Amino acid sequence: MMNFAARLLLENAPLWPERIAARCAGRSLTYAELVRLSSAMGGLLRSRGIEPGGKVLIALPDSFSFLASFLGCMLGGLVSAPLNNRLRRQDYAECIVDTAPALVIASPGHEALDAAADVGVPALVLDDQTLEPLLRGVPPVQAHSSLADDVCVFFVTSGTTGHPKVVPHRQEDFFAVGKVMDDFFGIQQDDILLCSAKMGHAYGMFSSLIMPLQVGATVVLDPDKPTPENTLRLLRSEKVTVFLSVPVMYTMLLLTLDLADGVALGFLEHVRLCFAAGEVLPEAVFKDWRDKTGMDIWQGYGSTETMTFIIGCRPPHIVPGTAGRVLEPYSVAILDEDHRPLPSGAPGQIAVRGITVTRGYHNAPEWTRSIFTADGMLLTGDMGVERDGLFTVLGRMDDMFKVGGLWVSPMRVENALLTHPAVAQAAVTGGDVGAFTLVRAHVVLKPGLEAGPALAEDLRLHALALLPDYMAPTDIIFHGSLPMTPSGKIQRFILRQEANNG
Amino acid sequence: MSATLEDLKKTFAFAIPADVLAKIDPAKPLVAQGVDSLAMTAMAVAVQNAFSVKISVQDGLKLKTLNDVLAFINKAR
């Protein structure tokens, strides 16, 4: 049997039942309670007729309910799809079509519930207030005898078209990620972890669930959107020792506090490890943080497809501006356009091989074919360069980009803009200003309409009503026409270059 | 002619909500006054566009308050 939830809950947790597994909104959950709630949740789901292999879509904030739902599914042999809970009804509807869940679990009033109702999929409304009464008296599920190769999770990420890509991972991947991350971070039982990325992402999943729970440490869960205020409050009040975040959060923290002031430093009093991933950490942010706090930010590079970091760096081996070295047990190559390895110093596509790499997208054989080389290496779609074993990530090969560590699909944003009556054409690119990454929209208006700040604001609000908030454009540039290929495709890379040079 | 705080606030009319903008203390960090990362980004874009300046990563990390932003613009111009 190879069931990672059974390892966490039935083998490990009984060694430290009274320890605190998680803290959320000022409340504590012991390992014994985590076992009881997760086992009962598994029992409840099975009693509703969901058989091993059945799918459950989870749209919950980071919370005890999330932990119990996710682990309950895994323990009972179900496949859960934990989703970013800031997506919109349309996104959830597409996820439901793609994953065919038997049940949607979401918090009260969540847009995922509307999407479930639209297509007649049963839903369970859940939060940390209703969790305990719901599960009272429910018999625990018997751990499913999963095999190493059994898919147990669907992570959902986005592609250029905006249509979700469903990335399956197997039981064995969880065991392997646990090992890779344990080797890299060396989390101890008395560590208290806080991660700015949510558990609907692979980064949040291993930071807030796999790493702490496998050693009996404590995770601090923030159910809300991560802000500098929440983060500072939790770092201090929860005595966080390991802080895992995204570059923009470090920027915001640097802009919040006078960190050089000894009093202000109180919030980092317990922190022994700062880590950043999700986007490239600007060298200036790394240096400013080091100057003001005396701490070096560890870094990692990976993807939903690899489920963990495959490249990383930690003190004393951090070269600012680079992502670091390849982690065991992965092998990484830089490939040319024909997928042949390039020599050191030559930029090309980053490709990886290793145990946790997904076998391919769910129900999308064409996408799957497009991400593997003939000999089975995963093509990341990222450009990179290697020198003396140190890797630098240079950017995307396609039009995808990230803002605040979260993927933005240009076509998803363009389609939202195109529903505005004033817009004739729209193209969306990533950009940056200062240390912030942003969504930039290039818009051609319908004839007779005049460009101006008021219309730009109207377009932004229009997009905001239709999109996850981080996808709404921050910069809107009006054009007379957009650069097109002879076949009529918008050349986003030309717009990107123009905006960067301008 | 130097830019003033009033010029700056006008520039930010679309970047941050009016109620947040009205209460901002120009000497205190914006992030500590309810301005989130998306609004900080929008403000930086507005500054670049309205005052024809370019904000580098290093510059960006020093622009904590409205007064910082104003001093930056007037020095850059």
Side-chain angles (χ1 to χ4, degrees):
Chain A
M1 171 163 117
M2 204 168 190
N3 184 325
F4 190 70
R7 154 76 71 87
L8 293 181
L9 300 171
L10 309 181
E11 290 176 37
N12 294 2
L15 302 174
W16 44 72
E18 298 309 320
R19 291 190 58 80
I20 304 297
R23 296 262 309 152
C24 184
R27 297 168 62 218
S28 298
L29 186 75
T30 65
Y31 274 88
E33 289 168 319
L34 177 68
V35 172
R36 181 174 57 79
L37 291 171
S38 304
S39 305
M41 181 59 84
L44 181 82
L45 297 173
R46 292 295 311 276
S47 76
R48 291 192 168 203
I50 308 173
E51 295 297 317
K55 318 290 189 294
V56 176
L57 201 143
I58 302 174
L60 294 172
D62 279 14
S63 56
F64 300 159
S65 312
F66 183 103
L67 292 178
S69 300
F70 180 83
L71 290 169
C73 284
M74 197 186 232
L75 192 62
L78 314 185
V79 180
S80 65
L83 300 179
N84 173 356
N85 77 331
R86 284 162 72 187
L87 300 179
R88 304 305 297 266
R89 184 173 182 157
Q90 176 197 337
D91 304 300
Y92 295 115
E94 288 176 352
C95 290
I96 289 171
V97 169
D98 287 354
T99 60
L103 183 72
V104 170
I105 306 179
S107 42
H110 200 279
E111 290 190 28
L113 297 172
D114 303 322
D118 288 344
V119 288
V121 171
L124 173 64
V125 183
L126 186 69
D127 62 19
D128 282 6
Q129 272 66 52
T130 51
L131 181 67
E132 182 74 49
L134 174 77
L135 297 176
R136 199 168 293 146
V138 177
V141 73
Q142 195 185 356
H144 181 68
S145 300
S146 303
L147 303 174
D149 235 8
D150 284 352
V151 168
C152 58
V153 67
F154 285 158
F155 286 112
V156 176
T157 179
S158 39
T160 36
T161 61
H163 195 87
K165 285 181 182 172
V166 179
V167 183
H169 280 288
R170 308 161 308 137
Q171 285 285 356
E172 189 176 29
D173 299 347
F174 276 76
F175 286 86
V177 167
K179 170 85 170 69
V180 174
M181 290 295 91
D182 194 45
D183 289 346
F184 184 67
F185 285 106
I187 299 300
Q188 304 295 311
Q189 201 168 58
D190 53 6
D191 274 321
I192 299 172
L193 288 75
L194 173 68
C195 179
S196 304
K198 303 299 181 187
M199 287 188 279
H201 306 278
Y203 177 18
M205 173 60 64
F206 68 68
S207 300
S208 294
L209 192 147
I210 298 178
M211 281 205 302
L213 299 188
Q214 69 180 356
V215 297
T218 300
V219 61
V220 177
L221 299 175
D222 177 2
D224 298 316
K225 194 172 132 179
T227 62
E229 294 87 338
N230 284 351
T231 302
L232 289 175
R233 182 173 50 76
L234 292 172
L235 285 172
R236 197 182 339 231
S237 66
E238 300 290 342
K239 302 185 167 63
V240 170
T241 63
V242 177
F243 176 48
L244 306 117
S245 196
V246 290
V248 68
M249 181 58 77
Y250 287 99
T251 299
M252 291 292 277
L253 292 175
L254 286 168
L255 289 171
T256 307
L257 279 181
D258 186 1
L259 293 168
D261 180 341
V263 182
L265 266 173
F267 81 97
L268 283 173
E269 193 181 332
H270 304 277
V271 175
R272 69 169 181 88
L273 195 167
C274 295
F275 177 81
E279 278 184 279
V280 174
L281 181 73
E283 202 173 326
V285 176
F286 177 90
K287 287 184 170 158
D288 206 17
W289 188 261
R290 172 193 268 175
D291 288 346
K292 303 230 164 97
T293 71
M295 296 176 83
D296 282 351
I297 302 173
W298 302 29
Q299 290 157 70
Y301 162 82
S303 68
T304 309
E305 286 81 356
T306 61
M307 203 177 140
T308 181
F309 304 126
I310 55 169
I311 292 171
C313 58
R314 56 186 182 187
H317 304 293
I318 300 179
V319 179
T322 74
R325 293 176 190 280
V326 178
L327 306 183
E328 286 283 336
Y330 297 94
S331 56
V332 173
I334 302 290
L335 304 181
D336 70 10
E337 285 175 358
D338 299 316
H339 302 167
R340 288 174 306 214
L342 285 162
S344 210
Q349 181 167 201
I350 303 174
V352 57
R353 190 193 307 283
I355 181 166
T356 63
V357 172
T358 186
R359 301 324 198 226
Y361 299 115
H362 178 64
N363 281 350
E366 277 183 32
W367 276 352
T368 296
R369 267 193 298 279
S370 73
I371 58 162
F372 290 104
T373 63
D375 64 348
M377 282 195 111
L378 173 80
L379 297 162
T380 61
D382 290 320
M383 292 289 289
V385 64
E386 174 273 325
R387 285 188 190 89
D388 302 323
L390 277 172
F391 285 80
T392 304
V393 181
L394 302 171
R396 286 294 297 175
M397 299 184 64
D398 55 21
D399 292 321
M400 292 291 289
F401 59 96
K402 281 184 170 184
V403 166
L406 300 170
W407 283 116
V408 177
S409 306
M411 284 172 74
R412 173 92 166 84
V413 185
E414 289 160 8
N415 288 336
L417 288 167
L418 286 167
T419 63
H420 190 285
V423 176
Q425 271 188 307
V428 165
T429 60
D432 51 65
V433 56
F436 295 107
T437 43
L438 59 84
V439 180
R440 180 173 284 135
H442 307 264
V443 171
V444 176
L445 293 174
K446 287 187 180 156
L449 292 170
E450 198 156 325
L455 182 54
E457 176 63 5
D458 196 49
L459 292 181
R460 190 185 69 80
L461 292 175
H462 179 79
L464 191 61
L466 297 169
L467 298 168
D469 57 356
Y470 56 88
M471 287 197 195
T474 313
D475 190 13
I476 296 181
I477 302 177
F478 294 102
H479 296 254
S481 64
L482 296 177
M484 312 281 274
T485 63
S487 62
K489 274 183 77 178
I490 296 170
Q491 293 169 301
R492 297 191 189 87
F493 72 95
I494 294 180
L495 293 166
R496 203 157 47 223
Q497 285 165 0
E498 282 175 2
N500 285 344
N501 298 335
Chain B
M1 203 177 79
S2 289
T4 63
L5 260 182
E6 286 317 302
D7 297 336
L8 205 53
K9 287 196 174 180
K10 256 181 242 161
T11 308
F12 293 157
F14 290 119
I16 29 181
D19 55 328
V20 177
L21 188 59
K23 278 185 269 173
I24 280 180
D25 179 341
K28 289 192 177 149
L30 290 157
V31 176
Q33 301 179 78
V35 180
D36 68 8
S37 61
L38 296 174
M40 287 293 283
T41 310
M43 288 170 61
V45 168
V47 166
Q48 286 199 161
N49 292 344
F51 299 98
S52 305
V53 291
K54 179 98 182 148
I55 302 172
S56 71
V57 180
Q58 285 88 344
D59 297 332
L61 292 172
K62 294 184 194 111
L63 303 181
K64 288 186 194 173
T65 68
L66 278 189
N67 286 342
D68 292 341
V69 177
L70 198 60
F72 170 77
I73 293 167
N74 287 326
K75 195 174 161 211
R77 289 213 300 180

